[in-house]
Amino acid sequence: MRPRLALSRVLAMAWKDLTTERRGKAGFNAVVFMGAITLLMFGFALGPDAAALRTAAAGLLWLTVLLSGALAFNRSYESEAEAGAMDALLLYPGSRWPIFAGKLLANLIFVLLVEAITVPIAAVLYDIPVLTPLPGLAGVLFLGTLGFVTLGTYYAAMASRVRAREVLLPLLLFPMLIPLLVAAVGATKAVLTSDPMGYGAAWIKMLAAFDIVFLAATFLTFEYVIEE
Amino acid sequence: MLRGVDLRLERSEVVALLGRNGSGKTTLLRIVATLLRPTRGGGTVLGHDLLRDTDAVRGQIGFLGHTNGVYPDLTAAENLEFTLRMIGQPVDARTIGSALEVVGLSSERDTRTREFSAGMQRRLALARFRLLSPALLLLDEPYSSLDPGGAAMLTALIDDTRRRGGAAILVTHDITRARAVADTLVALEDGRLVALGPNELPPADTFPEGDVLGARSSARSAR
């Protein structure tokens, strides 16, 4: 496939998904609300001990991103299902990877926007200083989110043709995310605590490695997942 | 399941595929559209192999299934813009306007298709074919939900494809419509081709069980 056509398809898919999402604001609002309420519930569950909250903040933040992000992935192929448009997408000649890349890009922007709202909420609720380590934190959030969204978009495609997709997606996705979650929490903790043990770089390298593996595996196999 | 179906379309030919529910009409259409892979058999579309040259086949066909494939949160114009971007064509307001005009939706250009009736969505799906200019139309119950005006537009689209040397396979339950539009009527019965003839459809029970047309297992379609 010509690179220009591939790029045109990637951008068209992302534009279509983001436009659909923007016009049906309920989805974004629901995901942000889900994120905020999850952070609040974790706060209540751990009690008023500020030190305990700060210690657990990185893990709680990533669990919140995972739980609310999964809602977004379920919606990712909803427009195709509602419109019966998957056949039309599959009938465009050429590789399928631009379809995946477009959806991945839209989901990445969506989840990063959700994080732009939930991270400040977490900072207030758990009393974590995010301004000083902001560049490092943003980098870790991006790397972790990229891996998470890559797998989420992939498994959402797998589940999209199943009636019980809302149930199936977390069952498929969450076990696969455990290594990424461990690395993301480790890297975030290191960034937020100024990395006293010097493990931060190792966690970040591990996150980057997961991203590369996930991207390569999903791009290579998406074609087989999406076809009947 | 399709068994021993052997079907050949000439250029400018329109074939109507008839049969009861579950007889295999949609399956055959989806195989020709490369959306399903046959377990055995094969076929060619304009010389391109259905199994090996799927991209080349997809570049030649226009498929309209039971659903319209129209995104409800995009406007009519945006739906066509999306199609243009997906085929790598420049987004040109005149091209979109002319495609909408052909299907009578010019005045609804900026209306989200969620507000469209089923018939209007069907028309918009047909407008996509104006952008794709397919050589082989694969239409599954295309007249459903279309009003007389929409039906006339669809017939004009089929005639236009025929004039350009293209062909069409039309799945329908409407024998009267099939006779009016198609050159050849084909009936599928339990996955077998049981009748084939120019504008005639003998009752299926006049054909004994073994009297099927075609030697190859599964679908062999549209050359």
Side-chain angles (χ1 to χ4, degrees):
Chain A
M1 182 188 283
R2 287 177 291 125
R4 205 169 159 180
L5 175 60
L7 181 64
S8 172
R9 285 189 182 176
V10 171
L11 296 177
M13 285 301 303
W15 167 78
K16 187 267 297 171
D17 279 3
L18 289 171
T19 304
T20 300
E21 200 57 60
R22 184 166 53 83
R23 289 183 180 160
K25 291 186 188 74
F28 183 76
N29 294 345
V31 172
V32 168
F33 184 73
M34 168 78 178
I37 204 78
T38 307
L39 288 169
L40 198 63
M41 298 290 279
F42 280 142
F44 280 119
L46 287 177
D49 183 350
L53 281 174
R54 267 198 301 276
T55 308
L60 300 182
L61 180 63
W62 276 106
L63 278 179
T64 302
V65 169
L66 262 55
L67 291 172
S68 49
L71 289 180
F73 301 142
N74 259 328
R75 296 172 51 78
S76 184
Y77 292 85
E78 209 172 71
S79 60
E80 272 73 28
E82 188 183 356
M86 191 53 86
D87 285 348
L89 279 187
L90 294 178
L91 284 173
Y92 291 112
S95 302
R96 311 294 198 218
W97 70 260
I99 299 173
F100 180 67
K103 289 208 165 281
L104 180 98
L105 180 61
N107 282 336
L108 185 64
I109 292 170
F110 184 92
V111 176
L112 288 174
L113 284 174
V114 171
E115 287 173 5
I117 297 173
T118 50
V119 170
I121 294 174
V124 172
L125 287 176
Y126 303 153
D127 190 25
I128 42 176
V130 291
L131 285 179
T132 314
L134 193 57
L137 181 63
V140 168
L141 280 172
F142 178 80
L143 283 177
T145 306
L146 178 61
F148 167 51
V149 168
T150 302
L151 278 193
T153 309
Y154 182 78
Y155 281 111
M158 205 179 268
S160 65
R161 292 176 186 268
V162 181
R163 198 178 299 170
R165 54 183 168 268
E166 289 84 1
V167 179
L168 186 63
L169 178 60
L171 290 178
L172 290 171
L173 178 61
F174 286 162
M176 297 302 291
L177 283 174
I178 290 170
L180 183 90
L181 178 67
V182 171
V185 170
T188 307
K189 214 175 244 180
V191 167
L192 290 178
T193 56
S194 306
D195 197 12
M197 306 296 283
Y199 292 155
W203 285 123
I204 289 170
K205 279 182 195 164
M206 199 181 285
L207 265 185
F210 280 136
D211 285 353
I212 292 167
V213 170
F214 289 168
L215 282 168
T218 52
F219 269 72
L220 286 173
T221 57
F222 180 72
E223 181 152 358
Y224 305 103
V225 165
I226 201 67
E227 291 199 355
E228 266 184 64
Chain B
M1 185 195 284
L2 297 171
R3 285 163 292 184
V5 172
D6 195 341
L7 180 64
R8 181 188 174 91
L9 264 79
E10 301 297 337
R11 283 186 179 274
S12 301
E13 184 177 11
V14 176
V15 167
L17 198 54
L18 302 151
R20 285 195 293 250
N21 292 335
S23 59
K25 305 183 298 294
T26 298
T27 303
L28 177 56
L29 214 61
R30 292 181 72 80
I31 287 172
V32 179
T34 71
L35 288 167
L36 282 177
R37 283 179 76 87
T39 44
R40 277 183 295 164
T44 59
V45 172
L46 295 162
H48 304 296
D49 190 274
L50 269 183
L51 303 177
R52 285 191 292 274
D53 306 329
T54 47
D55 276 350
V57 172
R58 285 169 187 155
Q60 302 287 345
I61 59 172
F63 177 81
L64 182 62
H66 292 144
T67 53
N68 297 313
V70 167
Y71 292 105
D73 285 315
L74 299 185
T75 65
E78 286 170 345
N79 266 285
L80 297 185
E81 185 181 329
F82 176 71
T83 301
L84 284 174
R85 288 184 195 277
M86 291 300 282
I87 58 175
Q89 295 292 317
V91 176
D92 174 22
R94 270 188 309 177
T95 308
I96 291 173
S98 120
L100 287 173
E101 195 177 339
V102 168
V103 295
L105 289 175
S106 292
S107 59
E108 306 294 340
R109 181 190 173 91
D110 297 319
T111 307
R112 285 190 211 173
T113 59
R114 188 176 291 285
E115 295 167 31
F116 279 15
S117 68
M120 289 163 80
Q121 291 192 6
R122 203 69 166 165
R123 286 181 186 217
L124 185 58
L126 295 176
R128 271 208 309 258
F129 291 152
R130 291 284 169 185
L131 306 179
L132 299 169
S133 298
L136 175 64
L137 289 176
L138 302 170
L139 308 168
D140 199 350
E141 295 286 352
Y143 288 96
S144 65
S145 72
L146 283 176
D147 58 18
M153 281 169 199
L154 173 57
T155 304
L157 173 76
I158 294 170
D159 287 342
D160 182 52
T161 304
R162 196 201 310 252
R163 263 195 305 277
R164 288 188 290 109
I169 302 178
L170 181 74
V171 166
T172 182
H173 291 291
D174 184 346
I175 294 177
T176 312
R177 178 87 69 187
R179 282 189 200 283
V181 175
D183 306 299
T184 311
L185 303 186
V186 174
L188 271 170
E189 184 81 33
D190 294 329
R192 292 171 185 269
L193 209 59
V194 294
L196 183 67
N199 254 350
E200 59 176 290
L201 184 68
D205 57 8
T206 62
F207 288 84
E209 177 69 14
D211 190 6
V212 292
L213 297 165
R216 297 181 67 184
S217 293
S218 193
R220 180 166 177 246
S221 309
R223 278 180 286 197

